[in-house]
Amino acid sequence: MTDFHTYGTSAHTPDELVRLVSDRLGLDFTERDSYFRGVYHLAESPDRQIEIQPNSIPGDDEDEDDLYASEHAAFQVLLLTTTPAADPALRAALASVEGLVHLALESEA
């Protein structure tokens, strides 16, 4: 069963959140640039994938951005986790980041 979680914050920039999460989890993030998603940060290991994504992404119109997750419009930055199974230690570590709010859980068998 794959476990997906979404977190959000408006208290930190993507770069600040990368630093905070990296310090807590000992992960190295790489910056990626996607036509669809814009600039985001990715940390991968065999047992987890963590992405830090601005919620505002480049839109089709030059003057207007779209939201990556419109259902979470109140949050400027999103953190997305993917693990092969529930990971209580990861959730606890992320819960210790001030200003980071757990928004959604999805599981896939």
Side-chain angles (χ1 to χ4, degrees), residues 66-108:
D66 292 327
L67 292 179
Y68 181 78
S70 58
E71 67 275 22
H72 303 302
F75 297 93
Q76 296 174 347
V77 180
L78 301 173
L79 184 146
L80 313 165
T81 66
T82 305
T83 55
D87 189 339
L90 174 60
R91 289 201 57 201
L94 294 175
S96 73
V97 176
E98 186 176 332
L100 189 62
V101 178
H102 186 250
L103 302 172
L105 158 68
E106 294 179 38
S107 293
E108 182 177 279

Side-chain angles (χ1 to χ4, degrees), residues 14-67:
D15 290 336
E16 290 169 345
L17 192 57
V18 164
R19 187 173 21 82
L20 290 167
V21 172
S22 181
D23 288 350
R24 280 179 176 69
L25 299 175
L27 296 174
D28 291 323
F29 283 85
T30 57
E31 187 176 286
R32 303 279 178 99
D33 193 356
S34 163
Y35 174 75
F36 171 73
R37 296 173 62 180
V39 175
Y40 68 100
H41 303 271
L42 175 66
E44 292 181 289
S45 68
D47 61 339
R48 66 177 62 145
Q49 177 177 305
I50 299 175
E51 300 171 51
I52 295 176
Q53 167 76 48
N55 200 7
S56 177
I57 58 174
D60 291 336
D61 298 325
E62 285 186 29
D63 297 336
E64 195 172 315
D65 289 343
D66 292 327
L67 292 179

